[in-house]
Amino acid sequence: MSETKEIRTQERAASPATAASEEKKAALVPPVDIYENENGIVLLADMPGVSKDGLDIQVDKDVLTIKGAIAQQIPEDAKPLYVEFSGPGRYERAFTIGPDVDIDKIEASMKAGVVRLFLPKAEHSKPHKIEVKVA
Amino acid sequence: MLSPWLAVSDPAWSQLEELSREMQKLFGLYAPSGNIRGVVKGTFPPVNVAETPEKVIAYIYAPGIDPEKLELTMEKNLLTISAGRDTAAEVGENTDPAGYYRRERFSGTFKRVISLPESVDPSKTEATYQAGILTVSIAKKEEQRSRKIAVNIS
């Protein structure tokens, strides 16, 4: 009986330390596709395991940061047999954006583990045709 | 005479060799790399397999798949998944997919065969697809589950 108690306290003591080391471990880097059309930039990122609530998108000055926490339900008594996908349980990737992006109008959506961002261009930086006068 | 390269014993060379071996290991090129159905790192989609006393669960990390086009079969202990996705079609109508800066995401079709423990009962398979993760759980055969044995004290 006393043995079980000891193990439990050890576990409890160990958990904050593991949480801290989890935090330190480099996050998974999601693969992205980036396209541009005349209205703005389209960014798609693969982040399986992230739901809408776990997604965190920030713009700080000219840096766009995409973060996502993996919320995967795994039974408590499950033991891994074979692992290809492993890591600290979160994704992070940042990009530098230019002054041509209207950061107030960035749109984000999430579907089946794929994040879709649309970074609209500010009105003044949209392409406009220049009329060439024939003299 | 032996090639002079074979006789080299300079420690710098052996270090280089070791580095090269480590690199090959890292990219999964160094034989033997385990199971014949094993894949190199970066294969899409990555798969994890776990087991509980009652079942075996395969997690397939395949975001952006249309569940209607997903094909899943179980034959004995082999789980086969085939599906695909076209990232160029995902972009949207008003965007030319040729105008890209980065294209890192997998595009195309895939088929993976996962060898599960032989204790699984293929007739009891359930699958769900959520947040880009396909979870397939297969019950173990009744007679192959681990069970506790009570010890009688005489």
Side-chain angles (χ1 to χ4, degrees), chain A residues 36 46 81 85 93 116, chain B residues 48-49 51 85 91 101 104:
Chain A
E36 179 160 2
D46 276 353
L81 289 180
F85 186 86
R93 194 152 178 187
R116 185 191 182 96
Chain B
N48 285 359
V49 182
E51 80 171 327
R85 65 175 192 183
V91 184
Y101 296 115
E104 301 165 354

Side-chain angles (χ1 to χ4, degrees), chain B residues 21-43:
Chain B
R21 250 198 315 273
E22 285 299 318
M23 292 289 277
Q24 287 184 353
K25 252 191 230 170
L26 190 66
F27 295 113
L29 303 172
Y30 188 71
S33 57
N35 193 303
I36 197 161
R37 292 193 175 93
V39 290
V40 295
K41 265 189 183 174
T43 300

Side-chain angles (χ1 to χ4, degrees), chain A residues 53-121:
Chain A
D53 302 325
L55 192 65
D56 175 21
I57 297 160
Q58 286 178 13
V59 181
D60 182 20
K61 285 174 193 160
D62 58 349
V63 179
L64 168 80
T65 309
I66 307 162
K67 288 183 190 176
I70 301 175
Q72 199 190 353
Q73 299 293 328
I74 291 171
E76 263 180 38
D77 52 354
K79 287 185 198 120
L81 289 180
Y82 174 70
V83 176
E84 283 175 12
F85 186 86
S86 64
R90 59 195 172 86
Y91 299 93
E92 187 173 337
R93 194 152 178 187
F95 298 92
T96 307
I97 51 173
D100 56 328
V101 171
D102 191 344
I103 58 168
D104 296 322
K105 288 183 185 156
I106 294 176
E107 291 164 30
S109 61
M110 178 114 222
K111 196 187 165 193
V114 179
V115 181
R116 185 191 182 96
L117 285 183
F118 180 63
L119 311 159
K121 287 179 198 169

Side-chain angles (χ1 to χ4, degrees), chain B residues 11 14 21-22 27 31 33 35-36 38 40 58 62 86 92-93 102-103 113 121 133 140-143 150:
Chain B
S14 67
R21 250 198 315 273
E22 285 299 318
F27 295 113
S33 57
N35 193 303
I36 197 161
V40 295
D86 183 359
E93 277 173 11
R102 286 170 196 260
R103 212 148 61 177
V113 180
D121 182 351
I133 304 175
K140 284 186 192 169
K141 285 174 196 153
E142 205 68 56
E143 69 271 17

Side-chain angles (χ1 to χ4, degrees), chain B:
Chain B
M1 198 188 122
L2 273 173
S3 153
W5 297 108
L6 293 174
V8 171
S9 62
D10 189 326
W13 279 107
S14 67
Q15 271 183 12
L16 266 181
E17 254 171 43
E18 203 174 304
L19 183 70
S20 144
R21 250 198 315 273
E22 285 299 318
M23 292 289 277
Q24 287 184 353
K25 252 191 230 170
L26 190 66
F27 295 113
L29 303 172
Y30 188 71
S33 57
N35 193 303
I36 197 161
R37 292 193 175 93
V39 290
V40 295
K41 265 189 183 174
T43 300
F44 185 90
V47 174
N48 285 359
V49 182
E51 80 171 327
T52 71
E54 295 85 34
K55 55 193 176 181
V56 173
I57 314 164
Y59 300 97
I60 298 105
Y61 299 82
I65 302 290
D66 179 1
E68 303 259 303
K69 287 177 189 155
L70 194 88
E71 255 180 68
L72 207 62
T73 58
M74 267 299 281
E75 195 194 334
K76 285 178 187 165
N77 64 323
L78 298 182
L79 172 67
T80 306
I81 308 136
S82 62
R85 65 175 192 183
D86 183 359
T87 55
E90 243 180 303
V91 184
E93 277 173 11
N94 55 356
T95 312
D96 179 7
Y100 70 89
Y101 296 115
R102 286 170 196 260
R103 212 148 61 177
E104 301 165 354
R105 298 166 65 235
F106 173 86
S107 188
T109 54
F110 62 82
K111 180 173 181 172
R112 286 203 65 177
V113 180
I114 304 156
S115 166
L116 299 172
E118 290 187 8
S119 55
V120 295
D121 182 351
S123 65
K124 288 173 187 160
T125 306
E126 279 172 27
T128 55
Y129 184 60
Q130 205 197 0
I133 304 175
L134 175 68
T135 304
V136 187
S137 76
I138 309 104
K140 284 186 192 169
K141 285 174 196 153
E142 205 68 56
E143 69 271 17
Q144 302 225 16
R145 291 183 190 176
S146 61
R147 51 174 70 93
K148 270 194 179 164
I149 295 151
V151 179
N152 295 320
I153 303 159
S154 55

